[in-house]
Amino acid sequence: MIIKAKEISSINELSQVNNYQKIMLSNQHTTVSKGFLAESVKFTRDQQTTVDALIRPNLNDYHYNDLEIKIMEADIFEAQALGIDGVAIGAATAKQELDTDTLEQLIGAAYGMQVILNHVFDELSFTNQKKAIDFANEHGIDAIMVTANFDSEQAIQNLKELVEYNQGSVQFILTGTEIHRLEAMCNELGIHELMLEN
């Protein structure tokens, strides 16, 4: 069985969600407002839907300064207080390696919540993606988001190798905009969760 998630950017979208076990709250790929977090929890309270939230202060890149890290930490605390189930986080160094120090801080802030490594994973080299999988398994990260690149045989082969490389409990979430192609690739590669993005 494939778990299906949907990226949600507005209350109007939220009211139209059907047949998804999870939703990911995202304001055009940045953190949504406190009000949106709160109303989303209220709206899904009586449904069998897990509510996750993307924690990302800007669209520039995944290399954050101290102030941005404090903002993300505060946003995680706020999401937790409002009843959000999980957060999608990510951070990279200026050398495009996983910023493990920042991630350890954010993982600590998210104690008790589901933790997802966001699309920072796509920005890493193949070698550093393997290191990210190791880090995720060692630090209790629940899932890793990875963009489906349907038109690149090399990208598909790399993803297949990464799935085989992963011997821990972390799961992959295959993301993209075409639900049927996502389902087909999940079945082909043995990935058990997908997320339909806007």
Side-chain angles (χ1 to χ4, degrees):
M1 176 184 172
I2 299 174
I3 298 170
K4 297 178 183 178
K6 176 77 168 67
E7 181 185 25
I8 299 295
S9 298
S10 70
I11 289 294
N12 184 53
E13 286 181 317
L14 185 63
S15 66
Q16 298 175 13
V17 169
N18 295 305
N19 302 319
Y20 290 94
Q21 290 82 43
K22 295 184 176 184
I23 59 173
M24 174 71 72
L25 303 179
S26 165
N27 179 22
Q28 305 301 316
H29 308 301
T30 61
T31 309
V32 302
S33 69
K34 176 182 176 180
F36 192 16
L37 290 172
E39 290 305 315
S40 298
V41 171
K42 290 178 185 177
F43 186 86
T44 58
R45 185 170 292 155
D46 297 326
Q47 303 175 23
Q48 297 298 316
T49 305
T50 300
V51 183
D52 298 326
L54 176 67
I55 304 296
R56 189 179 181 191
N58 60 59
L59 289 175
N60 294 337
D61 54 30
Y62 292 96
H63 179 50
Y64 302 114
N65 60 40
D66 289 343
L67 179 58
E68 290 169 324
I69 294 168
K70 288 180 181 178
I71 290 171
M72 289 191 289
E73 190 173 40
D75 285 339
I76 291 171
F77 288 142
E78 194 67 62
Q80 188 175 51
L82 290 169
I84 297 296
D85 297 296
V87 288
I89 59 174
T93 67
K95 295 181 179 180
Q96 289 303 99
E97 299 173 337
L98 205 65
D99 185 346
T100 56
D101 289 340
T102 295
L103 283 171
E104 285 176 354
Q105 182 177 340
L106 298 179
I107 291 167
Y111 181 77
M113 305 176 79
Q114 295 283 303
V115 177
I116 301 163
L117 187 65
N118 66 22
H119 281 309
V120 67
F121 188 78
D122 292 329
E123 306 297 319
L124 306 175
S125 68
F126 184 65
T127 297
N128 285 334
Q129 286 179 329
K130 287 186 174 180
K131 292 180 180 179
I133 291 171
D134 293 337
F135 176 86
N137 280 308
E138 291 165 2
H139 289 79
I141 291 176
D142 298 283
I144 297 172
M145 293 165 58
V146 57
T147 301
N149 190 341
F150 300 112
D151 301 319
S152 169
E153 287 296 329
Q154 185 60 58
I156 294 171
Q157 181 59 37
N158 284 352
L159 181 54
K160 182 178 180 180
E161 288 187 34
L162 291 171
V163 171
E164 292 173 351
Y165 174 81
N166 176 31
Q167 297 298 311
S169 60
V170 68
Q171 300 293 311
F172 287 99
I173 303 173
L174 191 66
T175 74
T177 59
E178 300 175 71
I179 186 71
H180 297 300
R181 297 184 79 181
L182 286 171
E183 288 177 320
M185 185 176 284
C186 281
N187 286 323
E188 178 183 349
L189 299 181
I191 295 175
H192 303 294
E193 185 170 344
L194 63 82
M195 184 169 72
L196 188 65
E197 296 181 311
N198 295 327

